[in-house]
Amino acid sequence: MEEKLQKIIAAYTPFDYTQINLNIEIKNRYIASELKDNFVNDICRAWPGLNSTELHNVMFTELRTGRQIIEFIRKIIIR
């Protein structure tokens, strides 16, 4: 799951996915806030069970790090 998210984030950066640190805030470091909608859409394509609207609403406000995104995805998938 972590590697999959790292690869999605890496698509928005010049970094290789192995260089993506999921413990730091990703907004404006890896992903510009203007690209938030595209980023959320990519995540929803990778994990089709997610509620896109809910994820759009919390991205970069409640979910700031890759680790927080992973935990959000795990909670939804387990429901």
Side-chain angles (χ1 to χ4, degrees):
M1 186 174 278
E2 286 83 1
E3 184 177 316
K4 188 185 234 183
L5 181 59
Q6 286 173 305
K7 288 180 179 180
I8 293 169
I9 293 170
Y12 293 87
T13 72
F15 303 112
D16 181 74
Y17 80 93
T18 60
Q19 296 174 300
I20 304 296
N21 182 344
L22 296 178
N23 295 315
I24 62 174
E25 188 168 336
I26 60 174
K27 179 183 175 186
N28 296 327
R29 179 175 184 105
Y30 295 127
I31 300 168
S33 58
E34 298 83 24
L35 298 175
K36 175 184 89 167
D37 292 331
N38 293 341
F39 178 56
V40 169
N41 292 336
D42 288 344
I43 291 172
C44 289
R45 276 192 284 285
W47 288 281
L50 296 176
N51 179 321
S52 176
T53 302
E54 183 180 4
L55 187 56
H56 276 276
N57 290 338
V58 296
M59 186 59 67
F60 294 156
T61 56
E62 293 176 33
L63 305 178
R64 291 188 167 87
T65 69
R67 220 31 89 209
Q68 291 171 320
I69 295 168
I70 294 290
E71 290 306 312
F72 177 84
I73 293 169
R74 283 191 175 127
K75 286 179 190 175
I76 300 300
I77 291 173
I78 292 173
R79 279 189 203 169

